[in-house]
Amino acid sequence: MPRNNERNKMPDDLVARVTGELKYLDDIPVKDALHARLVSLPLGRVRIDALDKEAALRIPGVTAVITADGLPRPLPRFGPLTQDQPLLADGETKFARQPIAVVLAQSARAARQGVDAVKVDYTALAPITTIEAALAPDAPLVQNPDLRQDDPWRETNIMGQWPFGWGNIETGQAQSALTLTNTYETPIIHHHALEPYAVYALPDDGGIAMYAAIQHPFVLRRVISRMLSLPLAKVRIISTEMGGGFGGRGYPKIEPLVAMLVHKLKQPVKLSLSADEGFHIAQREGARVKIRTGFKPDGKLAFQDVKADFLVGAYSDISPRVVQKAGFLGAGPYWVPNVDITARGIFSHTAPKTAFRGFGATHLCFAIESQLNEAAERLGIDPVEIRRMNLPAKGETLVPGDTPVDGDWKSALDKAARAIGWGKPTGPGRGRGIGIGVKSSVPATTSGAEVRLHVDGSATVYVGTTEMGQGAKMVMARLVSASLHLPMDSIRVVCGDTGRVPYDTITASSRSTVMMGQAVVSACRDIRRRLCALAAEACGIDEKSVLESDGLIHVCEDRFTYQQTVENYFGPGMGEVIGHGSYRGKRDPDHPLGGPAAFWEFIVTAVELSVDPETGDTALHRLINVSDAGKVINPLRAVGQDEGGAVMAIGAAFMEKLIINNSGVILNAGSLDYKVPTIADIPDKMETIFQENQDGPGPYGSKGIGESGILAALPAISAAIYNASGLKVREIPITPEALWNLKKESEGR
């Protein structure tokens, strides 16, 4: 790994971010581009009776107002899994602020004026905004059944259903001394990345080039290629560095519409959304988890019976995968011999839900861990001990047929308990709680990397991984530095341009360091092999006689640096050596998720807090995370990732919720009304402890940690609140008012 002074050097991209020098997509100058703005209505569901665009077209600079009638028929639709979302609403809107038209103008100001001038006559229709309403026998269908051919759920509002299980629930019931049945609810929330959504595209060599702040450029390329019937080679996506993603920028949102406009008009088009518009296009699904858990007399789990419903919005987006993966680990990080899980996605007249940090695991973690805490109290067992006795050991089964446990999870639990001072007195109104989170990595993915060693000893790295502040570029540079013995400042990393870099499935699921990291290290090995071959050829000897070690090529009694080896072969100042590397995850068509987990993302969170009994106000004093990291490649960014996830969990626990009224209108869609944590809301002390046993599949034994920080903080907070106040939380956010009401209910008032 790089030397300590290089390790502690502030990365150039961090300096650019904190000084404002980094250019985001909306900062890119555009030439001769049409500026687009969206026409929409605030209501959740309306029938569009008429749309008058004449006044808008009279505004100087406005060149066109396009509705669904101006698009090809059948109306183009898009989606990463199911192509069910129309570019523009056709006849009826399905969620608040769904685009019904787009105004194109020669300036952003004229486009805004054009939007204000468009007149829409409409009839408000009753929207479905809750799980209960969607499942009612007389509920209107959110999606037209004609669009769901061969779908067994086409005549319902059920998007899909995924069952998982093993053993026999009746056997588990017979063994149980205690059975707990509870329901846990989590609301719809927003990702709240600070950078607004924007996209810029232009005609390019008979196809399209698009600048997009998107996490998965190769997914976007595939979606646009399919929608426009263009070869993949004719669609180029350049992913710009992002001001946060958190899953909300993973999958196509506004980009397909812009691609269609460019394809239709043969002109560059730029579309930028306001902050409040962003609240309407990217949200995390709400969920209701009904869970029945059985415990044997000694505290061992006997069975888990889980029914999880996720409110996924009007269109599928990536929700089928979110619901499926969340359900797959519906028994949590514990070994349970008898399990029955059903996870369902439920359509509603709300915005399409998409990936969010944790990818559905947070909903189930809240329910499972809360059940463990209640059982511990009822059985008279310490909450840490009941977890320890149910955690599988390394190499043991977590989910039958999947990857065995790959870490020392009990050790991580003990470290968190010690760090928080578990068992020590806390004082009145003060309490501690602990929670465990686990998430499976995305299986069966592919990553490619190319490393070019230049004649001057510098290197350029080409990877499909995108940079959104998580430090992927720094990790890749570190791996090249260590593999090729190069100083960090001589390495450049090129990310996320489908026209320049090798293929990468996605930048998500905490996979980049592990999967792309393997590809980068493999490319460096390829360079070292090629250097030996060049040296052998230049000297006229057998390649087997050439050795490589410690950044030197050994030829007979001579030693050459990599730079000297390149110059000896190509000539002074000429040539370069190109290495290729790849990673390919194991595929299994019989596995529910398409393949086994490459690693398990595991974390233990411990919290200490106090609750004011009179006001319900909660103060966080300490939060400890123990993350099973395998090996940390970039310590500075790793801590930032972990703490960032924990702060997002604090927001979800205490304050975040999109408030939607009976008309489907979001009442707090904006940064002034939607509360997120500030510096005043974080714990007095946060500590991240990395468990580094070098037992992961990534370089140096690393595992992914990008999402783990958000997984277990909510149940740890909930447990600490109960420990401090005796109030059981089964619905979030845990506002002071909610706690005050729980207190009054417990007092029988």
Side-chain angles (χ1 to χ4, degrees):
M1 297 298 295
R3 296 187 302 273
N4 286 337
N5 61 330
E6 292 171 340
R7 180 178 299 163
N8 295 327
K9 179 183 176 183
M10 181 67 73
D12 291 340
D13 68 313
L14 275 183
V15 174
R17 285 177 187 274
V18 299
T19 59
E21 296 176 4
L22 184 67
K23 301 300 181 185
Y24 295 105
L25 194 147
D26 211 34
D27 298 322
I28 297 174
V30 295
K31 184 178 181 181
D32 301 325
L34 293 174
H35 294 263
R37 295 289 293 182
L38 301 176
V39 179
S40 64
L41 298 168
L43 300 180
R45 181 186 176 211
V46 305
R47 184 181 69 239
I48 304 169
D49 299 321
L51 187 147
D52 185 354
K53 52 189 176 184
E54 295 306 315
L57 291 172
R58 289 195 295 270
I59 293 175
V62 173
T63 61
V65 178
I66 297 175
T67 65
D69 292 337
L71 297 175
R73 293 289 170 168
L75 186 64
R77 295 173 181 268
F78 66 95
L81 298 175
T82 302
Q83 291 71 60
D84 62 349
Q85 185 167 351
L87 296 180
L88 294 170
D90 186 17
E92 181 183 311
T93 64
K94 302 293 187 180
F95 62 92
R97 300 297 294 269
Q98 182 178 13
I100 61 176
V102 57
V103 175
L104 295 165
Q106 294 172 345
S107 69
R109 180 179 182 182
R112 288 193 295 270
Q113 292 174 336
V115 168
D116 292 339
V118 172
K119 304 301 180 185
V120 183
D121 292 330
Y122 61 88
T123 301
L125 303 174
I128 291 171
T129 59
T130 66
I131 292 173
E132 291 78 10
L135 297 177
D138 58 347
L141 296 181
V142 175
Q143 288 209 0
N144 186 336
D146 293 340
L147 298 174
R148 303 178 66 185
Q149 297 295 332
D150 302 321
D151 185 340
W153 306 103
R154 63 196 299 265
E155 298 291 343
T156 76
N157 285 320
I158 298 174
M159 176 191 68
Q161 177 173 296
W162 290 269
F164 304 101
W166 55 87
N168 185 285
I169 292 294
E170 292 182 358
T171 300
Q173 289 175 327
Q175 298 171 342
S176 298
L178 171 67
T179 297
L180 299 175
T181 303
N182 290 302
T183 299
Y184 300 87
E185 304 218 11
T186 50
I188 299 170
I189 63 176
H190 178 53
H191 304 72
H192 207 278
L194 291 182
E195 180 188 8
Y197 287 86
V199 59
Y200 167 59
L202 65 160
D204 181 50
D205 192 22
I208 288 176
M210 176 176 285
Y211 293 84
I214 195 162
Q215 294 172 231
H216 316 324
F218 287 94
V219 172
L220 178 58
R221 183 182 69 166
R222 169 172 51 82
V223 169
I224 291 176
S225 167
R226 182 166 47 201
M227 183 186 70
L228 298 180
S229 298
L230 285 173
L232 290 171
K234 292 292 184 179
V235 180
R236 180 185 179 191
I237 308 298
I238 303 98
S239 177
T240 58
E241 293 202 24
M242 283 163 267
F246 318 124
R249 299 181 188 275
Y251 299 93
K253 300 290 183 296
I254 57 176
E255 299 85 4
L257 173 60
V258 172
M260 176 60 73
L261 294 173
V262 172
H263 187 64
K264 176 183 174 72
L265 302 174
K266 308 302 180 188
Q267 286 185 263
V269 175
K270 181 180 180 182
L271 172 60
S272 299
L273 299 188
S274 63
D276 69 300
E277 285 178 309
F279 274 78
H280 292 83
I281 69 164
Q283 300 168 1
R284 186 187 79 171
E285 68 287 326
R288 181 182 63 195
V289 179
K290 295 182 178 180
I291 183 168
R292 195 163 57 97
T293 311
F295 295 85
K296 299 176 183 179
D298 62 356
K300 290 286 188 68
L301 282 155
F303 75 89
Q304 285 278 29
D305 185 6
V306 181
K307 302 294 181 283
D309 286 336
F310 294 79
L311 198 69
V312 301
Y315 303 105
S316 299
D317 199 274
I318 200 64
S319 289
R321 193 64 169 171
V322 174
V323 175
Q324 185 185 29
K325 281 196 70 177
F328 183 72
L329 275 180
Y334 308 103
W335 169 242
V336 188
N338 305 290
V339 171
D340 187 358
I341 301 165
T342 300
R344 298 190 299 181
I346 310 297
F347 284 128
S348 62
H349 291 111
T350 60
K353 306 304 177 279
T354 193
F356 190 101
R357 199 174 199 165
F359 211 72
T362 50
H363 307 282
L364 275 299
C365 182
F366 176 37
I368 294 161
E369 293 297 294
S370 296
Q371 294 287 91
L372 265 289
N373 288 327
E374 188 167 339
E377 179 193 21
R378 298 275 292 273
L379 294 171
I381 302 173
D382 182 84
V384 170
E385 181 57 32
I386 200 170
R387 286 170 168 81
R388 184 188 292 110
M389 69 171 64
N390 284 291
L391 282 174
K394 187 173 183 178
E396 292 183 345
T397 297
L398 178 62
V399 177
D402 209 298
T403 303
V405 172
D406 59 356
D408 187 352
W409 294 356
K410 295 182 182 181
S411 174
L413 174 63
D414 292 339
K415 289 176 182 176
R418 285 195 300 270
I420 202 68
W422 195 264
K424 296 180 180 179
T426 57
R430 198 170 178 117
R432 298 191 185 98
I434 203 158
I436 301 178
V438 67
K439 178 181 176 294
S440 62
S441 58
V442 59
T445 58
T446 299
S447 293
E450 178 180 292
V451 178
R452 296 187 177 189
L453 179 65
H454 307 300
V455 70
D456 65 349
S458 64
T460 304
V461 188
Y462 296 89
V463 292
T465 299
T466 55
E467 178 60 65
M468 49 190 163
Q470 83 278 34
K473 292 174 72 172
M474 178 60 68
V475 166
M476 303 310 155
R478 280 180 172 278
L479 294 174
V480 172
S481 174
S483 297
L484 297 181
H485 303 274
L486 301 178
M488 289 286 288
D489 57 8
S490 70
I491 300 168
R492 179 183 179 226
V493 180
V494 177
C495 290
D497 179 345
T498 65
R500 300 177 66 188
V501 302
Y503 180 84
D504 187 33
T505 303
I506 55 173
T507 302
S509 197
S510 306
R511 67 179 294 278
S512 294
T513 295
V514 176
M515 283 74 162
M516 183 57 78
Q518 287 192 53
V520 167
V521 171
S522 176
C524 292
R525 284 198 300 265
D526 190 33
I527 282 182
R528 298 199 302 269
R529 181 188 63 78
R530 291 175 185 272
L531 286 170
C532 290
L534 294 185
E537 183 179 343
C539 297
I541 62 175
D542 190 325
E543 186 177 336
K544 295 180 181 179
S545 301
V546 179
L547 301 177
E548 182 276 329
S549 66
D550 299 327
L552 296 173
I553 304 298
H554 301 257
V555 182
C556 299
E557 300 297 325
D558 296 319
R559 298 179 182 179
F560 301 98
T561 65
Y562 291 165
Q563 180 179 347
Q564 289 170 333
T565 303
V566 176
E567 285 191 336
N568 290 343
Y569 184 84
F570 291 105
M574 295 191 297
E576 64 182 9
V577 180
I578 302 175
H580 298 278
S582 64
Y583 164 86
R584 183 173 181 270
K586 181 180 179 181
R587 294 184 177 276
D588 181 357
D590 296 326
H591 192 285
L593 302 183
F599 61 89
W600 299 108
E601 191 167 359
F602 179 90
I603 194 168
V604 184
T605 300
V607 168
E608 184 173 328
L609 53 75
S610 57
V611 178
D612 187 325
E614 298 301 321
T615 65
D617 192 41
T618 303
L620 286 170
H621 303 301
R622 299 178 67 202
L623 186 147
I624 308 292
N625 277 335
V626 179
S627 181
D628 184 34
K631 176 65 178 178
V632 175
I633 305 298
N634 184 347
L636 179 65
R637 289 291 179 89
V639 172
Q641 285 281 78
D642 190 88
E643 291 185 349
V647 171
M648 289 185 74
I650 290 168
F654 287 113
M655 60 197 73
E656 293 189 51
K657 176 182 180 179
L658 285 175
I659 302 171
I660 303 174
N661 70 10
N662 292 333
S663 298
V665 178
I666 301 177
L667 302 180
N668 58 337
S671 299
L672 292 178
D673 298 313
Y674 185 85
K675 185 170 172 54
V676 295
T678 68
I679 195 68
D681 300 302
I682 67 172
D684 300 331
K685 180 180 179 181
M686 296 180 69
E687 182 181 356
T688 293
I689 300 170
F690 293 117
Q691 181 159 284
E692 297 185 86
N693 294 332
Q694 296 183 281
D695 48 8
Y700 304 99
S702 57
K703 302 174 188 175
I705 59 170
E707 295 176 275
S708 54
I710 198 173
L711 298 179
L714 168 57
I717 288 169
S718 174
I721 287 174
Y722 178 73
N723 185 237
S725 66
L727 302 175
K728 294 179 180 178
V729 174
R730 297 196 178 103
E731 183 177 354
I732 59 171
I734 315 167
T735 62
E737 181 184 11
L739 282 181
W740 190 85
N741 287 331
L742 282 175
K743 183 173 183 289
K744 296 308 176 186
E745 289 175 13
S746 68
E747 295 171 349
R749 300 184 193 177

